[in-house]
Amino acid sequence: MKMVRGLLGLIALSWVAVATANVQDVPGGPAVDQLNVTPGVTPIAHDIHALHWMILIVCTVIFIGVFGTMLYSIVMHRKSRGHKAAKFEENLSVELTWTIVPFLIIVAMAIPASRTVVAMKDTTGADLTIKATGYQWKWGYEYLDGPAAGVHFLSNLTTPQDQINGLAPKTDTYLLDVDRPLVVPVNRKVRVVLTATDVIHSWMVPYFGVKQDAVPGYLRDTWFRADKPGTYRGQCAELCGKNHAYMPIVVEVKSAEDYAQWAQQQKLAMAAATEDPNKVWTKDELIAKGKEVFATNCVACHQANGQGIPGTFPALNGSTKFVLAPMKGQILTELNGHPGTAMAAFRDQLSDVQLASVITYTRNAWDNAGKGPDPVVQPADVKALR
C-alpha cells in the first residue's frame, strides 16, 4: 500500500511539474506563481501596491512582537522556574499603552488608505469618457467624447471552442482574448461609465487598480490613467451566470497619435459597414451573414449544432415553437429576450440586418432547412417589430 501511495504521489508531482512548465505569464495579465498584487500602470494601482506592502509590514511587525512576547513569557517566566504572575489590574500606564498604541497604528494605516479610496472615486476632469455595458456574456463599449466620439462596438471572447472543450492545446491567453479590445490613449484620464442590461457584472482590470460593478438600471463610474502603452487584461469579477468566465476585458493603451489614427479608422469602418435596413437581401446573403452572427453571439448557449444545452438552453434544431413557426415570435424573442430565462435581449446589441440574418440562418441550418413557414426574414421585417 505504501508503494502504491508513493507511486501516486510521484505521478501527481510529475503532472504538476509538467502543467506548470507549460504555462507562461499572460502579457498584461496574471503571471505564473504570482503571489503579490501587481504594481500596475496607473497611479491608483501604484498606491494599492504600496498600501499592500505597508499594511503587510505593519501586521508582520505586530505579529512578531505579540507572539514573540507571548513565547518569551511562556518559556522564560514559567511556573517551574519559580516565577510568579505579575498583577496589572488598574495599571494606568499599561491601559493607556494598549489603547493609544493600537489607535495610532490604525490611524497611520487609515490615512493613506482613505486618501487612495477618495482618489479612486474622483472621476472629475476626465479627458475621455467611455460607456461600458455588461451583457450576458460580453462587453459593449461606446465612446462618448474625444476623437472617437460615436464609435461603439461589442467585445466578444475569441478563444476557440476546441480549447474550451479540451480538444486543442490552450494558449497563454486562454479565455483572455477578445475580437475587439477597448482602445485608450496613454497618460489621459479615462472615465468609464458602467451599466448592465441583465444581471450585475463587474469591470475589473488589475493593472489599472480598477474594479467597478455594472448594475442594471444604474450608472456607476470609475477611472484610470495608464502611464505605459501596452495591452492589459481583466475579467468580469461578478458571478453573472453560466458563461461568467467567458467575458474577458482587454484594453489597448496607445500613444496619442496612434489613438487618433485608430479613432479615424474606426469611424471610416463604421461608415463603410452601415447597412440599409430597407434593402432586400437574398437568402444566400442572409444565411452567410447569419452564420457569422450566430458564431459570435449564439453558439455558446445554443451550440454550433443547434442542439442547445438540455435543461438550460433549448435546441434550435427542430424547434417548432420558434424557429419552425411564423417569424413574428422569433423576431420578438430576439429583440426582447425571453422573460424568466437566460435568453438575452439583442435589441440594443445587433442591427436589423444582423437579427434578420441570424434568424434566417437558424431557419435554414441543420435539420431545419426547407421546413416551416417564413424561411427568409428580411431586415424590414425586424424593423417593423422593433
Side-chain angles (χ1 to χ4, degrees), residues 25-185:
D25 292 351
V26 177
V32 176
D33 297 331
Q34 179 177 348
L35 298 177
N36 202 350
V37 297
T38 172
V41 292
T42 65
I44 293 297
H46 299 327
D47 290 346
I48 293 174
H49 188 261
L51 273 171
H52 164 71
W53 272 111
M54 185 199 78
I55 294 176
L56 179 64
I57 291 172
V58 170
C59 292
T60 302
V61 170
I62 293 173
F63 176 86
I64 293 174
V66 171
F67 283 90
T69 302
M70 288 176 57
L71 183 63
Y72 175 82
S73 300
I74 291 171
V75 173
M76 303 304 295
H77 298 85
R78 62 186 185 275
K79 187 175 180 180
S80 61
R81 298 190 64 177
H83 282 278
K84 294 183 179 179
K87 296 184 181 300
F88 292 104
E89 290 87 351
E90 299 181 0
N91 186 312
L92 182 61
S93 299
V94 172
E95 292 191 1
L96 285 175
T97 300
W98 71 36
T99 301
I100 293 176
V101 171
F103 176 76
L104 294 177
I105 293 174
I106 291 174
V107 170
M109 293 191 296
I111 290 176
S114 300
R115 187 185 301 124
T116 300
V117 171
V118 171
M120 291 169 69
K121 300 300 180 184
D122 182 12
T123 58
T124 60
D127 299 303
L128 173 65
T129 302
I130 298 170
K131 179 183 177 184
T133 303
Y135 301 100
Q136 284 185 321
W137 289 272
K138 61 177 78 69
W139 290 97
Y141 298 111
E142 180 179 358
Y143 290 73
L144 303 183
D145 54 22
V151 171
H152 58 88
F153 54 84
L154 297 174
S155 183
N156 294 283
L157 175 75
T158 56
T159 298
Q161 200 66 32
D162 284 350
Q163 289 188 26
I164 296 174
N165 295 334
L167 302 176
K170 294 178 173 57
T171 63
D172 294 338
T173 54
Y174 175 67
L175 296 184
L176 289 173
D177 270 331
V178 297
D179 54 356
R180 301 191 66 177
L182 179 67
V183 177
V184 299

Side-chain angles (χ1 to χ4, degrees), residues 117-326:
V117 171
V118 171
M120 291 169 69
K121 300 300 180 184
D122 182 12
T123 58
T124 60
D127 299 303
L128 173 65
T129 302
I130 298 170
K131 179 183 177 184
T133 303
Y135 301 100
Q136 284 185 321
W137 289 272
K138 61 177 78 69
W139 290 97
Y141 298 111
E142 180 179 358
Y143 290 73
L144 303 183
D145 54 22
V151 171
H152 58 88
F153 54 84
L154 297 174
S155 183
N156 294 283
L157 175 75
T158 56
T159 298
Q161 200 66 32
D162 284 350
Q163 289 188 26
I164 296 174
N165 295 334
L167 302 176
K170 294 178 173 57
T171 63
D172 294 338
T173 54
Y174 175 67
L175 296 184
L176 289 173
D177 270 331
V178 297
D179 54 356
R180 301 191 66 177
L182 179 67
V183 177
V184 299
V186 69
N187 288 325
R188 294 289 186 273
K189 185 171 184 176
V190 180
R191 179 187 179 216
V192 183
V193 181
L194 290 138
T195 188
T197 60
D198 33 52
V199 298
I200 299 176
H201 302 278
S202 188
W203 202 80
M204 181 187 73
V205 181
Y207 267 75
F208 297 162
V210 169
K211 179 183 179 298
Q212 180 65 64
D213 285 352
V215 184
Y218 293 88
L219 289 177
R220 309 187 73 184
D221 60 356
T222 185
W223 71 277
F224 63 88
R225 178 189 285 115
D227 56 22
K228 183 179 178 182
T231 300
Y232 304 99
R233 302 174 193 277
Q235 281 185 304
C236 174
E238 189 74 35
L239 187 57
C240 59
K242 169 184 169 289
N243 285 359
H244 156 70
Y246 297 166
M247 49 186 303
I249 300 159
V250 180
V251 182
E252 286 188 5
V253 179
K254 295 178 176 290
S255 66
E257 296 76 16
D258 290 344
Y259 173 71
Q261 184 178 6
W262 173 86
Q264 183 63 23
Q265 291 172 348
Q266 296 305 305
K267 288 187 173 182
L268 293 174
M270 285 182 62
T274 300
E275 296 161 322
D276 182 4
N278 298 312
K279 172 187 171 183
V280 177
W281 293 58
T282 68
K283 180 179 178 180
D284 291 340
E285 288 175 333
L286 289 168
I287 291 176
K289 187 174 184 63
K291 188 174 183 179
E292 298 175 3
V293 177
F294 185 87
T296 303
N297 298 278
C298 313
V299 72
C301 300
H302 294 292
Q303 306 299 298
N305 57 10
Q307 294 297 329
I309 300 175
T312 306
F313 298 104
L316 299 181
N317 187 26
S319 168
T320 55
K321 188 174 181 180
F322 292 104
V323 182
L324 297 181

